[in-house]
Amino acid sequence: MIALGIDVIVLGGGKLKENFSDDFSITSKACLDINGKPMVEYVLDALRGCSDVGRIVLIGTDSFKDRWTKKVDKTLVGKGTLTENLFAGVDFLKTKEPILLVSADVPLITSEAISDFLKRCFEMDGEAFYPIIPKICIESKFPEVRRTYFELKEGIFTGGNLGLAYPCVFKENKELIERIYSLRKNPVKLVQMLGLWFVLKFLTHSLTITDAEKNASRILKAQGRAVVTPYCEIGIDVDKKSDLELVRKILS
């Protein structure tokens, strides 16, 4: 069982890939305005409202410095790739306990969703945990949302924008983490990493959650677990302008 008081790294260093805003002074996606509030602040508020969360490290741009000192324990300026920024946060925390990773572009996330995910992780054996959300949950609450889905024997799912793992898992899988992140929107290429047998089962919709966990564990050299959660908010990120318009409407 995992202890409470989980430390968190919020990855907020992503740059704008398209013209999300008329304010050209905004260069970080995390700082996009949503009804008068920077997007990352919704994430920080949700984390601070979760009693299971310990220290919070925010990784972003120079503009983040001294901006959210009351909501984070440390702000680090991201200067490299995703994994380099991640390891900067891991090195600062200096913990052997699991660390929660959260993307800064999930403004719909709630304290309840975070707490539920951690609770489910606490009840499972494992070293790395990743949430999957049933398609039916997202379509029932946010029918306008367009997501990338994958079909398993148990149902149709999408991935979440957070994860929990022990620091040793991060350190032993630096290149793999970078590659998986780059392919996160392409489930077919992701399953190709797991071998022909895995791909065949995936294509015939006979792949089970247990199959996926076993193959992920083999690649990570650590026990990986898929955590099914009904909290669809963690599966909705702002990846394009239409996403931004949608979350503004939902949060208005």
Side-chain angles (χ1 to χ4, degrees), residues 6-238:
I6 297 297
D7 292 331
V8 183
I9 296 174
V10 180
L11 297 169
K15 295 182 180 180
L16 292 179
K17 295 181 180 179
E18 61 172 279
N19 183 19
F20 278 90
S21 172
D22 294 331
D23 184 353
F24 296 103
S25 66
I26 298 177
T27 58
S28 171
K29 186 167 68 167
C31 291
L32 285 169
D33 179 83
I34 299 179
N35 304 335
K37 186 174 173 179
M39 178 160 59
V40 65
E41 199 163 328
Y42 287 90
V43 178
L44 297 178
D45 287 343
L47 287 166
R48 276 297 172 220
C50 179
S51 60
D52 298 321
V53 166
R55 294 174 294 171
I56 299 176
V57 175
L58 172 62
I59 301 180
T61 64
D62 288 322
S63 65
F64 285 32
K65 189 176 181 181
D66 300 326
R67 190 169 180 179
W68 289 288
T69 54
K70 294 183 178 179
K71 298 189 179 185
V72 303
D73 295 275
K74 182 68 175 180
T75 299
L76 300 175
V77 177
K79 296 182 178 179
T81 64
L82 167 81
T83 50
E84 289 171 334
N85 291 343
L86 164 61
F87 285 108
V90 172
D91 290 341
F92 170 81
L93 288 170
K94 292 181 173 62
T95 179
K96 294 182 180 180
E97 296 299 320
I99 296 172
L100 179 67
L101 299 184
V102 184
S103 172
D105 63 352
V106 282
L108 300 184
I109 198 169
T110 63
S111 302
E112 292 78 13
I114 297 166
S115 182
D116 178 79
F117 173 68
L118 291 175
K119 179 177 180 293
R120 292 171 189 270
C121 294
F122 298 158
E123 295 171 348
M124 304 169 76
D125 292 324
E127 296 167 284
F129 305 83
Y130 181 69
I132 58 174
I133 307 108
K135 181 180 181 181
I136 190 172
C137 292
I138 291 185
E139 290 189 335
S140 63
K141 189 167 185 178
F142 302 114
E144 316 98 314
V145 169
R146 296 292 175 264
R147 290 287 300 167
T148 300
Y149 293 98
F150 52 90
E151 187 169 351
L152 301 176
K153 193 170 183 179
E154 293 89 345
I156 302 175
F157 301 90
T158 191
N161 294 280
L162 50 78
L164 181 73
Y166 283 86
C168 59
V169 177
F170 296 131
K171 291 178 180 179
E172 293 171 5
N173 293 279
K174 184 175 181 179
E175 292 182 3
L176 178 63
I177 292 170
E178 188 83 54
R179 186 179 178 195
I180 290 174
Y181 181 79
S182 69
L183 296 176
R184 69 193 186 284
K185 303 292 185 180
N186 193 327
V188 174
K189 287 190 176 181
L190 276 175
V191 298
Q192 286 175 348
M193 294 173 57
L194 299 172
L196 179 60
W197 172 84
F198 189 91
V199 173
L200 290 174
K201 293 200 76 172
F202 176 79
L203 293 175
T204 57
H205 308 310
S206 59
L207 187 72
T208 66
I209 291 175
T210 299
D211 291 333
E213 289 177 333
K214 287 180 178 178
N215 279 272
S217 298
R218 174 179 57 81
I219 288 179
L220 289 171
K221 297 181 177 61
Q223 187 177 13
R225 302 300 302 268
V227 182
V228 180
T229 171
Y231 284 87
C232 48
E233 293 84 357
I234 65 177
I236 301 174
D237 57 351
V238 175

